[in-house]
């Protein structure tokens, strides 16, 4: 006769860091690059698909019911019945020369949460699904996996999308046995997903500098992306007096110089303005630049602030251009509204961290994540763990294992809290 | 019996604009490009050599004694004896897609001066040489023709010089029957050249804007050329708060913004500072620039001002870098001192213009010219005529024929004044 199982309460549950780490290290080898120490697992590459098949194996070993859908998403379901589920996950694809934690942490932590619940004898009141989305990094310009899950894939876009080298998304998918046609039919009914929880590395320096182990994300920043053209007059750098120039670069410099002031006046603590790319014509040392094109990327968590930044930047570009007799034109390549995380989920993360005595801070996400797509469909939210030195999208991407454990435990207890109470719609 | 020639005095002499124009238009066809309307006559090209041979023909028809030296310079001598000569000229080579007046005007105007002197019965008290220098535009990085005439060719440089496409100068010369070896022995004794006079288009906007037909050049500006590197930290444009960035481009913008202030404080009316070339890494719209390299070209007529600009720019770059936590390093690629024109020649231009009632202004040359090389060897000076719209080094390069006539007449009377008095050493 077996001894009675000692009474465990889920309040004392803790994830098994060794098991989590073993899985993350195994996954890092799939597409792992020995030369740079990171991973090359672009969407729908063989390595990406190998990782998805490996994950299905780990899910099955862990007692989940895995399947891969037509868009390449891997979903492992656990728990009774076919009712609405709480979903936990992130993505498995990587940028070229990426790090080993971006996306993968949220997937494996989701799996580990379920394994921990099982080992502590916790029975959720509704099903839990661990999801590994596909194509989150935007090789083809979207977030295909989470868009497919939530019925947000545009058919025209799907059939036209190409990567930077001109390879078509649909060719890539079909070569891996996936189906663009079925992808358009994957959208889950809204009431089939109760919540979406994502653990991710911060990919920024804030938590690391502040030495806080967990960030609770209040929302994903909106972003506008401009291409600005300044048209002056190319002239000989020796024969053209300063006061007779129409120097397109000095107009850009004057605008860029005012960025801190623009943020002071029109923005806030979460505002970001970045000039990342500049091209000049003719681009000779001895010629006054006649033409400058530059990118401007603006971000904020508050859509009203985004609007104010847009107005202030437009005015700043014009003022700087006028001061140099340089014509300016602005092409708004994209404008994505910010996406708040759901207050229920933010509160659930706070509650779990409070139960565990883990210090947190509330912060925006300046980068895009699956959560922003899921948030249009269900109650979605995410937490961050620190990125050492703020480094991500690089082989040097790293997070202390202690912080990973703290983040995964907040994820675990949040999921348990959400699935302890009788499930509500 | 012929009628007696009416008494002419050289005070009434005027160049024959039709003859000058006919020659310039004939020359424009050699290497002339019907598509863009300019000329392609790079140094030591077939077109360049054709133009030199054509010029020797025109010189011989005009009664001068022409020859081509080992460096490709064409020299047409007129006047008695083998004593020291007054030299008038400029260059015949062009930049790619160049205009039809750059250099050629000074050569043909020199020839026209001699023809006019002959037709007006003027007999100079010392020989006059009309010169068409070679390789002034710097295809191989120097001003080979005038350097050869004045013994300023460095042998190591001569044998190493290549153009942008890797073609060796010596190969180019030999292919046209010229001799690098003999070029090193061309240097004229200082006392064989009494003066050097050059008429050139301004290649800048000043005379055209001020509606003044003739500029008397006080000197050729010195120039420094820097390559500046700013090393910050590449970071995600969304996840990195403004105050945690080391944005190399914003450091550059802050420096560039202070250029007017630097000139106010350390420079003067002839100062020029130009940022013509900027490269950024990684150069993605969504990444804070980690590395910026830019060119800085500084010019002034006064070497003391040049030194002050150098100090102020160095300090400005450092200050802007420090403000952003960005390391700066400056490579001084070149530093060329300014070269004043000779006061005797400046005075002679003033005197001739005064005699003719032609309005002039004194101005620097911001571009390099043969005069700066000749000035190291003899009394040298130059005058400018307006460039319409300040445009040069382009097929649109143009000067009103009236202004050309005025400039050529100032050149003529200056040459006559200098060769009327008994020649002095």
């Amino acid at each position: 006769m077996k001894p009675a199982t000692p009474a465990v309460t889920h309040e004392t549950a803790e994830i098994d860091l060794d098991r989590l780490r073993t899985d993350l290290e195994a996954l890092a080898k799939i597409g792992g690059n020995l030369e740079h120490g990171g991973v090359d697992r672009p969407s729908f590459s063989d390595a990406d698909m190998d990782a998805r098949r490996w994950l299905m194996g780990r899910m099955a070993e862990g007692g989940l019911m895995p399947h891969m859908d037509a868009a390449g998403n891997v979903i492992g379901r656990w728990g009774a019945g076919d009712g609405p589920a709480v979903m936990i996950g992130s993505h498995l694809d990587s940028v070229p020369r990426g790090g080993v934690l971006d996306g993968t942490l949220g997937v494996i932590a989701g799996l580990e949460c379920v394994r921990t619940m099982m080992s502590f004898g916790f029975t959720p009141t509704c099903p839990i699904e661990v999801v590994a989305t596909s194509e989150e990094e935007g090789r083809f310009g979207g977030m295909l996996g989470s868009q497919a899950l939530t019925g947000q894939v545009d058919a025209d876009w799907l059939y036209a999308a190409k990567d930077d080298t001109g390879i078509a998304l649909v060719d890539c998918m079909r070569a891996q046995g996936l189906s663009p046609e079925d992808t358009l039919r994957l959208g889950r009914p809204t009431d089939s997903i109760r919540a979406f929880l994502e653990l991710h590395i911060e990919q920024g320096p804030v938590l690391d500098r502040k030495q806080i182990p967990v960030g609770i994300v209040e929302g994903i920043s909106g972003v506008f992306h401009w291409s600005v053209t300044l048209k002056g007059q190319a002239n000989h750098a020796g024969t053209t007096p300063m006061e007779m120039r129409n120097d397109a670069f000095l107009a850009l410099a004057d605008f860029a110089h005012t960025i801190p002031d623009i943020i002071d006046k029109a923005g806030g603590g979460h505002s970001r303005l970045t000039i990342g790319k500049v091209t000049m014509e003719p681009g000779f040392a001895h010629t006054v630049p006649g033409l400058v094109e530059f990118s401007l990327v603006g971000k904020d968590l508050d859509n009203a602030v985004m609007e104010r930044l847009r107005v202030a930047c437009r005015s700043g570009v014009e003022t700087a251009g006028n001061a140099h007799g340089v014509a300016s034109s602005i092409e708004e390549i994209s404008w994505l509204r910010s996406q708040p995380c759901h207050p229920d989920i933010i509160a659930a993360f706070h509650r779990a961290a409070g139960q565990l005595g883990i210090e947190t801070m509330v912060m925006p996400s300046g980068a895009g994540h699956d959560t922003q797509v899921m948030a249009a469909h269900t109650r979605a939210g995410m937490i961050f763990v620190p990125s050492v030195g703020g480094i991500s999208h690089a082989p040097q991407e790293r997070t202390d294992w202690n912080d990973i454990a703290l983040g995964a435990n907040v994820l675990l207890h949040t999921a348990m809290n959400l699935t302890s109470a009788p499930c509500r719609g």
Side-chain angles (χ1 to χ4, degrees), chain A residues 127-144:
Chain A
I128 293 179
E129 292 181 10
V130 175
V131 61
T133 64
S134 61
E135 172 47 356
E136 189 271 352
E137 292 290 3
R139 174 180 170 190
F140 296 95
M143 290 191 189
L144 182 69

Side-chain angles (χ1 to χ4, degrees), chain A residues 34-48:
Chain A
L34 290 177
E35 215 169 293
H36 57 61
V39 292
D40 289 303
R41 207 161 50 218
S43 304
F44 309 124
S45 62
D46 289 346
D48 182 38

Side-chain angles (χ1 to χ4, degrees), chain A residues 134-215:
Chain A
S134 61
E135 172 47 356
E136 189 271 352
E137 292 290 3
R139 174 180 170 190
F140 296 95
M143 290 191 189
L144 182 69
S146 46
Q147 286 172 319
L149 277 175
T150 54
Q152 299 181 68
V153 179
D154 179 81
D156 291 343
W157 171 83
L158 178 69
Y159 287 102
K162 288 183 165 54
D163 73 3
D164 279 348
T165 67
I167 297 174
L169 169 56
V170 291
D171 293 342
C172 242
M173 290 179 74
R174 287 179 184 132
Q176 297 292 2
L178 302 173
S179 164
E181 290 69 28
D182 291 345
T183 290
L184 293 170
R185 293 188 281 270
L186 284 178
R188 297 264 291 249
T190 306
D191 61 8
S192 77
I193 305 174
R194 205 173 283 282
F196 178 78
L197 308 179
E198 184 173 12
L199 166 65
H200 205 282
I201 54 169
E202 181 197 336
Q203 306 184 277
V206 178
L207 292 173
D208 187 44
R209 294 237 189 140
K210 293 186 191 281
Q211 295 281 297
I212 294 175
V214 174

Side-chain angles (χ1 to χ4, degrees), chain A residues 197-322:
Chain A
L197 308 179
E198 184 173 12
L199 166 65
H200 205 282
I201 54 169
E202 181 197 336
Q203 306 184 277
V206 178
L207 292 173
D208 187 44
R209 294 237 189 140
K210 293 186 191 281
Q211 295 281 297
I212 294 175
V214 174
I216 298 176
V217 177
E218 52 187 319
I220 286 86
S221 293
V223 53
F224 64 86
H225 180 184
W226 289 0
S227 172
V228 184
T229 304
L230 297 171
K231 199 166 165 14
Q233 175 66 50
N235 268 312
H236 192 295
T239 63
T240 316
M242 300 305 283
E243 72 276 10
M244 293 186 186
R245 298 183 175 195
N246 305 104
D247 186 326
F249 181 72
L250 287 193
L252 164 56
D254 281 3
F255 168 68
H257 177 76
T258 66
I259 282 180
D261 196 48
I262 287 174
I263 290 180
D264 270 359
K265 290 188 179 137
H270 295 326
S271 299
R272 321 259 186 267
L273 288 172
T274 305
I275 294 172
K277 188 176 176 182
V278 174
T279 58
M280 285 162 66
E281 285 181 26
F284 297 131
H286 296 276
T287 304
V288 178
L291 191 79
V292 165
E293 280 183 42
F294 69 95
S295 64
L296 180 68
V297 168
K299 301 215 175 199
D300 200 273
L301 198 52
D302 181 330
N303 287 313
V305 174
M306 288 274 289
E307 287 289 355
R308 289 207 305 269
L309 288 175
R310 177 195 248 168
V311 170
C313 287
R314 189 173 289 276
S315 154
V317 166
E318 276 168 17
T319 302
N322 291 343

Side-chain angles (χ1 to χ4, degrees), chain A residues 335-398:
Chain A
W335 174 278
L336 293 174
R337 292 175 59 80
S338 65
Q339 179 65 60
C341 291
H342 197 283
D344 290 357
I345 307 302
I346 293 174
F349 283 132
H350 276 295
R351 184 179 157 215
Q355 288 167 335
L356 297 167
I358 294 172
E359 191 187 4
T360 61
M361 68 175 282
V362 173
M363 61 191 301
S365 171
H369 293 291
D370 286 312
T371 292
Q372 78 197 68
V373 177
M374 301 301 293
H377 197 73
T378 184
R379 299 179 305 166
M382 69 189 303
I383 50 174
F384 284 156
V385 287
S387 293
V388 176
I391 298 169
S392 182
H393 282 193
Q396 294 77 29
E397 180 180 278
R398 202 170 69 75

Side-chain angles (χ1 to χ4, degrees), chain A residues 51 55 108-109 232 272 331 374 383 389 403 407 410:
Chain A
L55 176 66
I108 303 300
R272 321 259 186 267
E331 183 198 353
M374 301 301 293
I383 50 174
D403 290 336
V410 171

